[in-house]
Amino acid sequence: MHNTAIALIQLGAVFFGLGLLGKMAWRIGISPIPLYLIGGLAFGQGGLVPLHGIEEFSHISSEIGVILLLLLLGLEYSAAELMTGLKRSWTAGVVDIVLNATPGVIAALVLGWGPVGALAMGGVTYISSSGIIAKVLGDLGRLGNRETPVVLSVLVFEDLAMAVYLPILTAVLAGVSFVGGLTAVGVSLAAITVVLVIALKFGRYVSALVDSPDPEVFLLKVLGSALLVAGVASQLQVSAAVGAFLLGIAISGSTAENATRMLEPLRDLFAAMFFVVFGLNTDPASIPPVLGWAVALAVVTTLTKVATGWWAARRQGIGRMGRARAGAALVARGEFSIVIASLTVASGAVDGELAALATAYVLLMAVLGPVAARVVEPLAQKFTRMRGTAPAPA
C-alpha cells in the first residue's frame, strides 16, 4: 500500500473512532474530552498502536482546532457585553483567580518547574471549561435558574482574563529578554486594546466585511479571515488563538450568529483532533509518576471552585442550594487547560512532565465536573435532612 492510502486509512479510523467515543460519552452523561485524550494516548508514541504518516495533517488540524475554539468563544460576546460583564463580575473574577490559580502555581514550584511553569500551571487549574459547563447546564435544565447568570458572569470574566493571560504567557514562553518580554506584552496588550476599540466603535464594518448572503462565500470569508488574523497575531508574538478570539469579538449581530451556526461543526471536528494530537504527543508512561499530583490538584481545585461559586452566588442573595449548584457547575476543566499546556510544552521552556500532569488533571476534571453538577442537589438535600433543617430556598 502506498503512503497516501495508509494515511487515509489511519485518518478514517481516527475520525470514525472519535465519533464512536463521542457518542459513548454523551450517552453516559460525561464530556467526550477525556475519551479523546485517552484515544490520543493509545495511538501516540508509547501507546498501544502508534500511528505514523499523519503527523503533518494532525498538527495543522490541531492548530485550526484551537483557533476555532477561541473564534467561536469570541463570537458569543460583543465588546460591549464583555465590558458590562467585566464591571459586574470583577470581584468574583478576582476571587476565582486567587483561589484556583494558586494550587497550580504551588504545585509547579514544588515540582521545580520554575516561574514559567508556575505561570502555566496556574492557568491550567484556573480556567473552567465553558463548553462542558454550558452543555451540563442545558442538559440539567438549569439555564433559567437564578444562579446561572452568576456562573456565566464568572465564565465571561475568565474569558477576558484568558485574552490577557495568553499573550503574556506566549511572550514569556518565547524566552525573550526582560525588555523584549515587556515589549512583547506591550504589543499584545496594545493589540487587544485596539481590537476592543475597533469592535466597540466600528464592529458593524468588520461584520459587513465578512458577511455574505451566499453560505459558501460567507464560510470562506469567515474561516479565511480567522486563519489570516491568527497568523498575523502569531507573527506579532500574540497567540494565534487570541487573535482569533479578538476577531470573534469584533464580529457581532446576525453575522456572528450565522458564523457560529456554520462553524460549530467544523470546530467540533478540529477540536476533537486537537485533543487527540495532545494525547498523541504525551507518553502514557509519563502519567503514573504525576498521577498523585493530579488527584491532589483535582481535590483541592474542586473545593476552591465550589467556594468561588458559593461566594459569588451569596453576594447576589441566592440561597444555599443555588450557591451549591453555582459552585458545582464551575468545577469542570477542559479545552483551555489543554490549550495552555499545549502552548507551554510546544515552546520547550518547561519540563515535559507538565503535559502529563495537565492531561491527567483534565481527564479527572472533565469527568468530575459534570458528575459534581448532577449530584450536588441530592447531596445537599441529604446533608440538610441529616441536620434536621428545612431546605433553604434556591
Side-chain angles (χ1 to χ4, degrees):
M1 244 185 303
H2 55 82
N3 293 338
T4 302
I6 295 173
L8 288 174
I9 290 171
Q10 291 187 357
L11 280 174
V14 168
F15 282 127
F16 189 74
L18 290 177
L20 294 177
L21 291 174
K23 183 178 179 181
M24 183 193 308
W26 292 126
R27 275 198 172 181
I28 59 179
I30 65 169
S31 162
I33 292 175
L35 299 185
Y36 294 160
L37 288 170
I38 290 172
L41 289 170
F43 296 108
Q45 188 175 6
L48 298 174
V49 186
L51 300 178
H52 302 286
I54 60 171
E55 292 85 354
E56 189 173 350
F57 175 84
S58 58
H59 173 69
I60 294 295
S61 299
S62 163
E63 292 289 327
I64 294 174
V66 179
I67 289 169
L68 289 177
L69 275 171
L70 272 291
L71 173 66
L72 266 76
L73 183 63
L75 287 171
E76 290 182 18
Y77 309 102
S78 67
E81 288 171 339
L82 279 180
M83 299 307 291
T84 302
L86 179 62
K87 290 176 184 173
R88 191 173 57 200
S89 60
W90 72 270
T91 49
V94 171
V95 170
D96 187 19
I97 291 176
V98 172
L99 288 183
N100 295 289
T102 303
V105 169
I106 293 173
L109 292 176
V110 172
L111 288 167
W113 296 343
V116 178
L119 180 65
M121 274 308 298
V124 169
T125 57
Y126 159 61
I127 187 78
S128 298
S129 170
S130 53
I132 296 175
I133 292 169
K135 174 72 176 170
V136 170
L137 289 177
D139 288 348
L140 297 179
R142 296 180 183 168
L143 292 176
N145 283 16
R146 283 192 64 206
E147 76 277 4
T148 298
V150 176
V151 173
L152 296 180
S153 65
V154 171
L155 294 179
V156 168
F157 188 92
E158 290 187 355
D159 295 341
L160 277 170
M162 285 287 284
V164 177
Y165 168 82
L166 283 178
I168 294 173
L169 177 67
T170 306
V172 171
L173 292 174
V176 293
S177 64
F178 181 72
V179 175
L182 287 180
T183 304
V185 171
V187 169
S188 302
L189 295 178
I192 291 169
T193 304
V194 168
V195 170
L196 286 177
V197 170
I198 291 174
L200 282 168
K201 301 283 186 183
F202 310 105
R204 62 184 183 279
Y205 298 112
V206 178
S207 300
L209 183 64
V210 298
D211 204 1
S212 172
D214 185 89
E216 180 181 341
V217 174
F218 180 62
L219 182 60
L220 288 171
K221 287 170 76 173
V222 173
L223 184 59
S225 58
L227 297 179
L228 187 63
V229 170
V232 172
S234 181
Q235 191 63 30
L236 292 174
Q237 296 294 329
V238 181
S239 164
V242 172
F245 175 72
L246 296 175
L247 175 67
I249 292 173
I251 299 173
S252 58
S254 60
T255 308
E257 292 172 7
N258 291 336
T260 300
R261 179 172 47 80
M262 296 188 71
L263 288 173
E264 271 183 344
L266 280 179
R267 177 202 58 184
D268 294 342
L269 176 67
F270 286 105
M273 201 65 190
F274 165 72
F275 292 115
V276 170
V277 169
F278 191 81
L280 287 173
N281 294 327
T282 304
D283 187 351
S286 64
I287 290 182
V290 296
L291 191 56
W293 279 101
V295 172
L297 282 175
V299 172
V300 171
T301 57
T302 294
L303 296 175
T304 52
K305 274 293 181 186
V306 170
T308 300
W310 181 284
W311 186 86
R314 184 180 181 183
R315 280 176 55 84
Q316 301 299 319
I318 295 171
R320 290 184 177 180
M321 186 65 79
R323 297 174 205 167
R325 286 196 298 260
L330 289 169
V331 167
R333 270 73 155 190
E335 61 273 23
F336 294 116
S337 296
I338 294 296
V339 168
I340 294 167
S342 177
L343 289 172
T344 307
V345 174
S347 73
V350 178
D351 193 297
E353 278 193 329
L354 190 144
L357 179 54
T359 301
Y361 176 72
V362 171
L363 282 171
L364 293 171
M365 300 306 287
V367 174
L368 186 59
V371 172
R374 286 176 188 276
V375 303
V376 65
E377 274 194 11
L379 284 180
Q381 288 168 350
K382 186 176 181 181
F383 181 73
T384 303
R385 283 196 299 269
M386 288 173 62
R387 294 186 62 184
T389 56

